[in-house]
């Protein structure tokens, strides 16, 4: 059976689950669907819902923050509104040299649309994308 038949979930390593909870729940507004252990860390992981189902595993690990690429993307209808709401909650948006960003940190996306990036406390990069 091809993998396209199954749901896909992103997983992100963090160095401190308590700090991650403050960011993912407090700033991003994600709702934890469940928690559990992460290796030897009791209660060291969370599964967050997004878009109507489980979407993001966050777990405490010594490998936290080692990926420099974008690890997950939220596709949103109104990127300006979502960026404004997250910025008001304390999320800082990344700006990259050689890329023209507006005052909010939003830039044109290759192939059309718009994109904005932000990082969690461990440096894991996420993006918001909109087709308009």
């Amino acid at each position: 059976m091809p993998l396209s038949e199954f749901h896909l979930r992103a997983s992100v390593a963090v160095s401190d689950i308590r700090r991650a909870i403050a960011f993912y729940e407090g700033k991003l507004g994600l709702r934890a669907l469940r928690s559990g252990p992460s290796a030897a860390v009791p209660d060291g992981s969370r599964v967050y819902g997004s878009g109507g189902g489980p979407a993001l595993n966050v777990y405490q690990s010594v490998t936290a923050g080692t990926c420099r690429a974008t690890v997950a993307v939220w596709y949103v209808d109104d990127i300006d509104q979502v960026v404004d709401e997250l910025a008001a909650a304390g999320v800082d948006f990344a700006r990259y040299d050689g890329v023209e960003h507006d005052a909010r940190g939003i830039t044109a996306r290759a192939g059309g649309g718009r994109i904005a990036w932000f990082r969690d406390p461990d440096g894991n990069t996420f993006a918001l994308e909109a087709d308009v």
Side-chain angles (χ1 to χ4, degrees):
M1 183 173 289
L3 288 180
S4 61
E5 299 295 320
F6 302 96
H7 293 282
L8 178 67
R9 208 181 297 164
S11 289
V12 178
V14 298
S15 62
D16 180 329
I17 194 67
R18 297 288 161 227
R19 183 175 68 170
I21 290 168
F23 179 80
Y24 288 95
E25 295 176 25
K27 292 187 178 188
L28 300 186
L30 296 179
R31 186 174 57 90
L33 301 178
R34 65 179 172 270
S35 62
S38 176
V41 182
D43 200 36
S45 69
R46 296 288 182 279
V47 174
Y48 290 106
S50 188
L56 182 65
N57 297 324
V58 176
Y59 62 97
Q60 188 165 315
S61 172
V62 296
T63 64
T66 59
C67 178
R68 296 182 46 169
T70 303
V71 297
V73 179
W74 279 272
Y75 294 91
V76 300
D77 294 327
D78 187 340
I79 194 168
D80 296 292
Q81 178 183 353
V82 175
V83 166
D84 288 346
E85 289 173 1
L86 290 175
V91 174
D92 294 320
F93 284 85
R95 287 169 171 74
Y96 295 100
D97 292 337
V99 177
E100 187 174 327
H101 299 86
D102 69 12
R104 292 179 173 107
I106 302 170
T107 189
R109 180 181 68 192
R114 299 164 68 212
I115 186 168
W117 295 273
F118 62 91
R119 294 181 186 96
D120 76 0
D122 286 295
N124 294 304
T125 303
F126 296 89
L128 304 172
E129 289 192 26
D131 289 332
V132 291

